[in-house]
Amino acid sequence: MKYAITATTGNFGQIAVKELLKLTDNSEVIAIARNVAKAKELLPQGVEIRQGDYNDEASMETALQGVDRLLFISSQPGGAVTRADQHKNVVKALAAAQVKFVAYTSFPNAQNSTSALANDHKITESAIEDAGVAHSFLRNNWYLENEVGFLQNGAANKPVSYWAAGKVGWALEREFAEAAVKVLTLSNPKKVYELAGPARSYADLGNGLKQATGNDFTVKQVSATEYQAGLVAAGLDQNTAALFTSFQEPINDGSLSEDSTDLETVLGHDLTALPKAINEILSRN
């Protein structure tokens, strides 16, 4: 059996490769990376590394030759080639290479979500369906690491603020990556996994942060306008502040309020308790 993982120079991909090596041996693992030299620096020795660029369908088809099961990690938007087109290239390539199964990292409730962030994932899921390749859609919720600024402020005993009123299924990125690899190696996986931690609000996150740090800072909800103004006052330019403010939109509109135990079920154990998970992130930064 040959397993491949794409985008292996990203943090998720690096974690996934290491987790896959715990379940199989080096000879069965293929890491696909746009930059092979960088991948060699970041990945464990002995792992086969192949060059594959989402912008280039032919390179992906070559990289996927002989691959049985693929973990297809979604790209970041904003490149010269749209993410939807990048993903279409990968789907065409995996179909042409006759990959038997693909696990794709998607967005919560992708087909029904009204979030703009879901659009590319909806297109990709449909392309995989149309290609007729056996699949699992790994609809990942929000990584707790996305909130590192919030966490660092509380750790410094500074007031923390937020504007989104909804709930989100935060969990550690490594937990999502471990679950992805476990699905990749299952003999009979489900077609869809809604992967999320318990649905929590920013007020809940603030309480968890107080428990983790022992600090007693202020946790305050403000308007989106006030939040953005605070980022500008802290030194960000208007465009960057607007971008950072927009990151809370899918939380505010309910796109991330998934109530699912799929993540714990796939992992086979409880998720890391919130205060412990927070301290794990703070110890890295």
Side-chain angles (χ1 to χ4, degrees), residues 156-178:
N157 214 11
K158 297 178 181 178
V160 295
S161 63
Y162 62 95
W163 70 268
K167 291 191 174 184
V168 53
W170 288 296
L172 290 167
E173 183 177 13
R174 66 171 176 80
E175 293 174 317
F176 287 105
E178 181 185 347

Side-chain angles (χ1 to χ4, degrees), residues 47-59:
V47 173
E48 180 182 355
I49 300 172
R50 297 181 182 177
Q51 198 278 334
D53 188 334
Y54 288 3
N55 292 349
D56 180 2
E57 180 188 337
S59 77

Side-chain angles (χ1 to χ4, degrees), residues 221-268:
Q221 183 176 18
V222 297
S223 69
T225 300
E226 290 171 319
Y227 184 83
Q228 183 171 330
L231 294 177
V232 172
L236 296 183
D237 62 78
Q238 286 285 354
N239 288 339
T240 303
L243 177 64
F244 280 22
T245 300
S246 73
F247 291 163
Q248 292 187 25
E249 182 59 48
I251 299 173
N252 191 64
D253 68 18
S255 296
L256 303 178
S257 60
E258 187 66 45
D259 184 15
S260 169
T261 59
D262 280 355
L263 184 54
E264 288 181 317
T265 299
V266 170
L267 291 175

Side-chain angles (χ1 to χ4, degrees), residues 103-277:
Y104 167 68
T105 60
S106 190
F107 187 84
N109 194 28
Q111 292 300 324
N112 299 310
S113 178
T114 58
S115 172
L117 295 177
N119 291 342
D120 293 339
H121 298 290
K122 188 181 301 184
I123 290 168
T124 307
E125 286 190 1
S126 296
I128 291 170
E129 291 271 12
D130 292 344
V133 179
H135 60 268
S136 287
F137 298 143
L138 312 173
R139 293 177 175 170
N140 290 346
N141 210 283
W142 236 224
Y143 304 156
L144 186 57
E145 285 85 347
N146 293 348
E147 309 299 342
V148 66
F150 184 103
L151 301 180
Q152 287 177 330
N153 279 343
N157 214 11
K158 297 178 181 178
V160 295
S161 63
Y162 62 95
W163 70 268
K167 291 191 174 184
V168 53
W170 288 296
L172 290 167
E173 183 177 13
R174 66 171 176 80
E175 293 174 317
F176 287 105
E178 181 185 347
V181 167
K182 288 201 168 182
V183 170
L184 182 67
T185 58
L186 288 175
S187 59
N188 189 29
K190 297 196 302 182
K191 286 191 174 182
V192 174
Y193 292 87
E194 296 288 349
L195 300 174
R200 292 185 170 106
S201 66
Y202 272 106
D204 297 327
L205 183 60
N207 287 333
L209 181 54
K210 288 181 179 181
Q211 292 177 49
T213 61
N215 295 338
D216 189 23
F217 46 83
T218 301
V219 181
K220 183 181 180 182
Q221 183 176 18
V222 297
S223 69
T225 300
E226 290 171 319
Y227 184 83
Q228 183 171 330
L231 294 177
V232 172
L236 296 183
D237 62 78
Q238 286 285 354
N239 288 339
T240 303
L243 177 64
F244 280 22
T245 300
S246 73
F247 291 163
Q248 292 187 25
E249 182 59 48
I251 299 173
N252 191 64
D253 68 18
S255 296
L256 303 178
S257 60
E258 187 66 45
D259 184 15
S260 169
T261 59
D262 280 355
L263 184 54
E264 288 181 317
T265 299
V266 170
L267 291 175
H269 57 73
D270 292 341
L271 298 178
T272 306
L274 184 58
K276 185 177 180 181

